Amino acid sequence: MKIGFIGLGLIGGSIARAIRYFYPGAELVAYSRTRASVEEAVEDGVISRVLNGVDAEFGDCEYIFLCAPVAENVKYLEQLRDVIGADCVITDVGSTKGDIHAHVARLGMETNFIGGHPMAGAEKTGYKNSKRILIENAYYVITPTAQVSGEVVERYREFIASLKALPLVLDYETHDYVTAGISHLPHIIASSLVNLVRDSDTKDGIMRLVAAGGFKDITRIASSSPEMWEQICMTNRENISEILGRYIQSLRVIQGQLDAAKEGAIFELFESSRDYRNSLPEKGSGPIQRIFEIYCDMVDETGGIATLATILASNQINLKNIGIVHSREFIEAVLRIEFYDEKSMKQAAEILRKYRYVIYER
């Protein structure tokens, strides 16, 4: 099996690592304008060969992953049109699908294209931060064109499942509508809320000083890449605008209920949202990365944090972040500890409890 990659950042690199792990005999070739990343991938044993451009070398690939920015992927599609074989499947990893499907149709390449969106990511970008398990147990949306045969779609679905991702086949319009609500709008809300607090703060910055706990949790995604999210919003603006309009209207309703002192309506707001939030499935990763964290009671004494960190280190548990929670209106504990994965989080909680630490899991 020969598989090609065009662009090799966080997502592309993670997919390539997974393919290399589960298909050690596969030939993986890659081209990227950032040559250092693909050369590093060759040194890691992930990529077999670096290609110098998008040319006939991609012609006999079974799959080609477009992992460059959206605008560049369109240009690469044009270059691939005249070199790929009849049975080659071209796919992408973008967060919006309508734009690239439109270009595929315009280029007459619908029999060779299956869109893809691995719903996984991280704060850090680039190949150097890629990891094999990034897409493991993460939903991987597949958006085939109407011209791709069912047999080809099923074979690709099985291939994605073999990488331990959770394939979900949707039409691209449904994908863009769904992600507008659960991914794109939340980023806009988080960013606008941060800016609102910034602009509404007291002269001496008290809001900024005490902003922690719940506020930092719901605005965490505002720290994402502005360049990437501008592209996402511009390529899915109609769906986002529709969902945003509904959200603005819901806020007006809530504002009216507050102005009219409708206690029952406000209770219903919190009760219904709590019940729906608690019904969300735990298994599988969505488009917004999950945080693996625990909270711990900690006495203010010299060396307390160092002792805890040493206990975890001696059990080969890596910490992603650790810090004191100063604003604890919604959090019981003093110390917040973040991990890279769920397994490490659960092991840490179990070990620390054996040492009689009081641990809270959220």
Side-chain angles (χ1 to χ4, degrees):
M1 181 163 56
K2 182 178 179 181
I3 299 174
F5 286 85
I6 299 178
L8 202 69
L10 174 71
I11 299 297
S14 296
I15 294 172
R17 288 182 185 277
I19 294 173
R20 174 59 67 214
Y21 181 83
F22 291 108
Y23 298 90
E27 181 183 9
L28 273 60
V29 298
Y31 165 74
S32 176
R33 288 186 0 181
T34 308
R35 192 174 178 88
S37 63
V38 287
E39 290 178 345
E40 183 180 349
V42 171
E43 292 177 4
D44 291 343
V46 174
I47 295 298
S48 309
R49 289 187 295 123
V50 178
L51 302 185
N52 294 318
V54 180
D55 52 29
E57 286 273 19
F58 283 98
D60 56 349
C61 286
E62 185 170 344
Y63 298 114
I64 299 175
F65 287 84
L66 300 177
C67 306
V70 175
E72 293 181 29
N73 282 339
V74 172
K75 179 179 65 178
Y76 293 134
L77 274 172
E78 296 174 352
Q79 297 176 37
L80 287 168
R81 180 175 55 178
D82 297 327
V83 301
I84 60 170
D87 297 327
C88 175
V89 170
I90 299 175
T91 186
D92 74 320
V93 298
S95 296
T96 59
K97 302 264 73 81
D99 191 65
I100 193 159
H101 270 270
H103 285 288
V104 166
R106 180 178 59 81
L107 293 169
M109 301 176 68
E110 291 176 288
T111 57
N112 298 99
F113 186 77
I114 300 177
H117 178 199
M119 290 186 158
E123 293 91 346
K124 297 180 180 179
T125 59
Y127 171 79
K128 64 181 180 298
N129 293 302
S130 63
K131 51 187 176 181
R132 175 182 66 82
I133 63 171
L134 186 71
I135 63 171
E136 187 172 303
N137 290 321
Y139 288 112
Y140 198 120
V141 179
I142 297 169
T143 61
T145 71
Q147 305 301 319
V148 178
S149 72
E151 180 182 349
V152 171
V153 173
E154 178 58 22
R155 185 165 64 245
Y156 184 63
R157 191 199 68 79
E158 291 177 353
F159 175 65
I160 293 301
S162 73
L163 304 180
K164 303 303 179 184
L166 305 175
L168 180 63
V169 180
L170 297 175
D171 62 84
Y172 71 86
E173 294 98 339
T174 300
H175 167 274
D176 283 2
Y177 177 75
V178 168
T179 53
I182 64 169
S183 176
H184 306 162
L185 181 62
H187 278 79
I188 291 174
I189 293 171
S191 297
S192 62
L193 179 57
V194 169
N195 288 344
L196 176 66
V197 168
R198 179 200 63 195
D199 297 339
S200 305
D201 205 351
T202 61
K203 291 181 179 180
D204 46 357
I206 298 299
M207 283 188 182
R208 185 176 185 274
L209 176 66
V210 301
F215 181 80
K216 293 196 74 173
D217 284 346
I218 64 175
T219 60
R220 173 179 53 86
I221 53 179
S223 296
S224 302
S225 165
E227 293 82 6
M228 179 182 73
W229 278 99
E230 180 189 38
Q231 285 196 20
I232 289 172
C233 288
M234 289 300 99
T235 54
N236 198 25
R237 57 188 181 275
E238 292 183 2
N239 283 308
I240 296 173
S241 180
E242 178 184 344
I243 300 292
L244 179 60
R246 294 183 192 175
Y247 180 63
I248 291 170
Q249 180 57 33
S250 73
L251 291 178
R252 290 196 179 108
V253 170
I254 295 168
Q255 184 183 36
Q257 293 167 344
L258 286 170
D259 291 342
K262 292 185 176 181
E263 296 180 2
I266 298 301
F267 177 87
E268 169 63 20
L269 165 69
F270 291 121
E271 182 182 47
S272 61
S273 63
R274 178 202 62 190
D275 293 345
Y276 185 76
R277 170 70 167 72
N278 290 342
S279 74
L280 299 179
E282 291 293 333
K283 184 179 180 182
S285 299
I288 299 177
Q289 188 187 25
R290 180 183 170 190
I291 297 177
F292 303 103
E293 61 185 1
I294 60 176
Y295 290 81
C296 176
D297 281 343
M298 176 69 64
V299 177
D300 186 4
E301 60 183 14
T302 303
I305 295 178
T307 300
L308 182 146
T310 300
I311 291 171
L312 296 179
S314 64
N315 285 275
Q316 287 76 53
I317 296 177
N318 291 329
L319 302 182
K320 184 176 183 180
N321 202 356
I322 188 169
I324 296 172
V325 181
H326 293 287
S327 179
R328 295 193 289 276
E329 185 178 358
F330 305 105
I331 299 171
E332 303 96 325
V334 173
L335 197 67
R336 175 184 177 274
I337 313 165
E338 186 178 352
F339 304 89
Y340 286 96
D341 53 61
E342 185 176 17
K343 181 180 178 182
S344 298
M345 178 186 70
K346 291 183 178 295
Q347 287 178 340
E350 181 180 356
I351 290 167
L352 292 174
R353 285 186 176 120
K354 289 180 179 179
Y355 282 85
R356 302 192 180 280
Y357 286 94
V358 178
I359 301 298
Y360 303 90
E361 299 180 60
R362 300 181 68 195

